[in-house]
Amino acid sequence: MANKRTISWNAAMRDLRNDRMRRAGVREERLRATAGLRSSSTLSSWRGRSGRRYIVGVHPLNEAELLDVTDAVILAVRRDRDGTGTVIDAAMAASEPAEHTRMRWLAKVQELGATELHIHRLAATDEDRRAIFEDLREDETQAS
């Protein structure tokens, strides 16, 4: 009698994928479809803690960009020398911008080393934006 254990290929791949997602946390994943384009730096994606992927527009970290954003999830990102992006903080942009609050947040993330704004505009409702915000926020990141 042989002691063989058989495991489903699908189950093994699912377990491997789930394990990798739990360990990796929130991370940027460049879009392969835009790799050869000159403007590829204007789009990127982030993988949330849940494993879901969110497409973002990449913008300069400045006042004008921040004040123009409505109904979106905003990530303040620091780009390292090797090109790796790290979320410094996350915020939800309402339909009516609160200028004073946004300027305070901008000063805070600049002080923490953020160099870019990554903006996700594809969520239709406040509830969807809240779920995405929570998924993309690192545990140590505070709500803004």
Side-chain angles (χ1 to χ4, degrees):
M1 189 180 331
N3 189 8
K4 282 188 177 179
R5 180 173 181 232
T6 57
I7 185 168
S8 157
W9 179 257
N10 288 336
M13 292 306 293
R14 183 192 63 234
D15 292 346
L16 179 63
R17 189 172 41 251
N18 288 340
D19 184 52
R20 192 172 41 229
M21 283 188 268
R22 276 192 295 275
R23 282 182 293 148
V26 175
R27 67 194 181 280
E28 184 177 25
E29 295 180 344
R30 298 296 183 129
L31 297 174
R32 287 183 292 233
T34 62
L37 301 176
R38 281 183 288 222
S39 63
S40 66
S41 62
T42 61
L43 288 176
S44 190
S45 72
W46 285 85
R47 186 77 61 178
R49 290 181 311 205
S50 69
R52 292 196 61 184
R53 186 175 180 194
Y54 306 98
I55 306 298
V56 296
V58 178
H59 302 273
L61 184 71
N62 65 42
E63 183 177 319
E65 290 290 339
L66 186 60
L67 291 177
D68 284 344
V69 178
T70 59
D71 299 323
V73 176
I74 305 170
L75 304 176
V77 175
R78 175 182 54 234
R79 180 96 33 218
D80 296 337
R81 285 182 218 192
D82 64 353
T84 304
T86 304
V87 175
I88 299 299
D89 199 5
M92 289 178 40
S95 55
E96 294 293 322
E99 186 173 338
H100 180 67
T101 303
R102 288 191 186 190
M103 291 301 96
R104 246 188 349 208
W105 184 78
L106 182 64
K108 177 181 108 175
V109 297
Q110 283 176 324
E111 186 176 298
L112 293 172
T115 56
E116 301 171 349
L117 293 175
H118 290 207
I119 303 171
H120 178 75
R121 291 184 167 102
L122 301 176
T125 66
D126 285 339
E127 184 177 292
D128 292 343
R129 283 186 284 281
R130 170 63 61 188
I132 293 166
F133 170 76
E134 293 296 332
D135 195 23
L136 290 174
R137 209 168 59 137
E138 289 287 358
D139 291 335
E140 61 272 0
T141 305
Q142 300 300 312
S144 298

